[in-house]
Amino acid sequence: MLIFRQLFDPQSSTYTYLLGDSASHQAVLIDPVFEQVRRDAALIDELGLKLLATLETHVHADHVTGAWLMKQRTGSKIMVAKSSGAKGADRYLVQDDVIAFGGRRLLVRATPGHTGGCLTYVLDDNSMAFTGDCLLIRGSGRTDFQEGDAAAMYRSVREQIFALPNDCLLYPAHDYRGLTVTSVGEERRYNPRLGGDIALGDFAGYMKNLRLAHPKLLDVAVPANLRCGRPESKEGQGTDPAADPTWAHLRYSFAGVWEIDPHGLEEHQRPVQILDVREPDEFTGPLGHIEGAVLIPLGELAERAGELAKDRPIVAVCRAGSRSAQATTILQQAGFTDVANLNGGMLRWRAEGYPVEGGSA
Ligand SMILES: N[C@@H](CCC(=O)N[C@@H](CS)C(=O)NCC(=O)O)C(=O)O
Ligand SMILES: [Fe+2]
């Protein structure tokens, strides 16, 4: 079975696509965004997948790719078009190349026009294709910078994308209206730039008059993406927005919470503050509580956060780990940085045999 997820970066309206093979657990990630690598890596981990590669549809002009950063975290190979001019990739792709993940494959089609090195990735059974900034939903990528070429784009769309079956679903690299998917058949019919009887001259005229402002990040993104997202300087390599906290062994969840396991808390129990956010009767009830825990019920936490020390990490605890996850959000809003949730709460803590004060056996 195919595992498929469409992920969104709100800053640049970019879509990142995760494709995995459920039998082998192998996966690829199309167009990761630098700032979202931690999120995407958490999802890959939670789905039990092994990331083989990140695939670029092109050298992006509006955001920095997460390819290099994802490689640091997961060992994934960086793949990009040979004609992109990008340096530092592990594999340079050309027309008809095949990228295998488990029993599934993506086929490479060169679709230049937005840039000279734009690729479309087509799934083995032609059920879906990832068009990058060539064909967008009822639109197309712009052709006015990088190696933009309206005639090349017209040919790419007509000869490579519209040649796919009508029911092939098309997933673009961006949508600025929040639309998520289209199909070959509907774009052939309804794309206002490229569908129906529209000729190359019509398309070129349309594109010449798009009148779009240049992307805000153009001057930063293009050079960085020509290095596959590797920061330029040694210092820059330390500025990893996904750098994990070092005060304990934590895990970032796709839900957006830093989690600590009972074993990790046991190792760090001395220097951290344990914050129990249950109600007082639960704190003294049958589950007991962790030695040294401070009790502030979740409903009082926003007002009473000042009672906690700012210079020591905080681990939030509740019955099953959900109220305490919300506590970490409240604490972060109150300016605490080193905060984690005890995964599974008191139930897991006790189930794994860690000691409690009070409570019943
Ligand atoms: N305002 C956006 C512009 C984004 C932009 O120009 N996107 C390119 C893709 S890299 C495009 O082709 N846009 C087509 C469109 O906006 O219709 C930004 O600053 O990043
Ligand atoms: Fe682009």
Side-chain angles (χ1 to χ4, degrees):
M1 213 185 68
L2 182 79
I3 295 166
F4 173 65
R5 296 289 186 277
Q6 182 173 31
L7 298 151
F8 185 63
D9 173 53
Q11 189 71 36
S12 61
S13 297
T14 299
Y15 289 121
T16 298
Y17 300 97
L18 176 66
L19 287 100
D21 170 50
S22 61
S24 64
H25 307 286
Q26 295 185 346
V28 295
L29 189 65
I30 299 174
D31 285 338
V33 172
F34 195 84
E35 287 79 6
Q36 302 293 352
V37 163
R38 188 167 70 200
R39 174 199 69 181
D40 298 355
L43 179 62
I44 289 164
D45 190 47
E46 290 179 13
L47 295 179
L49 297 171
K50 160 78 184 148
L51 189 66
L52 299 186
T54 57
L55 317 179
E56 300 297 316
T57 57
H58 63 292
V59 168
H60 304 278
D62 59 338
H63 68 274
V64 176
T65 172
W68 176 87
L69 195 51
M70 192 59 93
K71 180 177 177 174
Q72 308 311 300
R73 295 183 72 111
T74 69
S76 50
K77 299 266 185 278
I78 299 174
M79 300 188 188
V80 63
K82 189 171 185 191
S83 51
S84 66
K87 302 273 184 291
D90 297 293
R91 183 172 168 194
Y92 290 94
L93 301 167
V94 297
Q95 175 80 15
D96 297 329
D97 270 354
V98 175
I99 299 146
F101 54 105
R104 305 304 303 254
R105 285 164 298 130
L106 283 170
L107 285 82
V108 175
R109 295 193 178 204
T111 48
H114 173 62
T115 74
C118 285
L119 300 178
T120 290
Y121 298 102
V122 183
L123 192 62
D124 42 31
D125 59 1
N126 282 349
S127 62
M128 41 172 81
F130 302 88
T131 55
D133 288 350
C134 186
L135 191 73
L136 303 181
I137 300 170
R138 303 295 191 272
S140 69
R142 61 198 292 172
T143 53
D144 58 337
F145 56 69
Q146 294 181 283
E147 306 82 32
D149 180 338
M153 179 171 281
Y154 185 85
R155 280 195 303 275
S156 292
V157 170
R158 292 293 181 111
E159 293 167 17
Q160 298 294 331
I161 298 172
F162 285 180
L164 291 163
N166 276 337
D167 60 1
C168 178
L169 296 177
L170 301 177
Y171 291 92
H174 295 291
D175 188 88
Y176 301 99
R177 295 188 292 160
L179 310 174
T180 54
V181 61
T182 184
S183 68
V184 169
E186 64 186 282
E187 292 304 320
R188 283 177 66 169
R189 193 153 167 210
Y190 295 115
N191 190 296
R193 307 181 190 184
L194 289 150
D197 295 328
I198 295 169
L200 170 58
D202 304 319
F203 177 62
Y206 193 124
M207 295 309 283
K208 209 179 272 174
N209 292 288
L210 268 190
R211 304 164 59 86
L212 291 171
H214 274 193
K216 291 183 283 294
L217 282 181
L218 182 78
D219 297 339
V220 176
V222 172
N225 289 329
L226 286 169
R227 298 187 302 270
C228 295
R230 181 177 57 78
E232 191 167 26
S233 62
K234 278 262 179 299
E235 300 81 69
Q237 295 185 20
T239 58
D240 172 358
D244 291 345
T246 52
W247 59 270
H249 183 74
L250 304 183
R251 189 168 40 79
Y252 185 75
S253 73
F254 187 58
V257 179
W258 285 105
E259 302 274 353
I260 188 166
D261 289 336
H263 174 70
L265 177 56
E266 177 77 351
E267 277 187 354
H268 287 266
Q269 207 167 348
R270 294 283 163 256
V272 307
Q273 305 173 79
I274 297 171
L275 169 67
D276 197 313
V277 296
R278 292 176 296 167
E279 298 303 315
D281 61 334
E282 293 179 271
F283 190 78
T284 53
L287 286 181
H289 53 260
I290 299 172
E291 184 196 349
V294 175
L295 175 67
I296 304 180
L298 185 62
E300 298 171 22
L301 183 57
E303 276 164 35
R304 295 178 52 193
E307 294 173 26
L308 298 159
K310 283 225 159 151
D311 58 357
R312 277 191 298 149
I314 301 173
V315 172
V317 183
C318 68
R319 177 178 171 277
S322 79
R323 280 173 287 170
S324 51
Q326 177 56 12
T328 66
T329 304
I330 292 172
L331 290 171
Q332 279 158 356
Q333 285 163 354
F336 293 84
T337 47
D338 292 340
V339 180
N341 180 37
L342 179 65
N343 185 271
M346 288 305 297
L347 290 175
R348 181 172 171 200
W349 177 264
R350 283 177 60 116
E352 294 186 8
Y354 292 98
V356 295
E357 261 183 6
S360 50

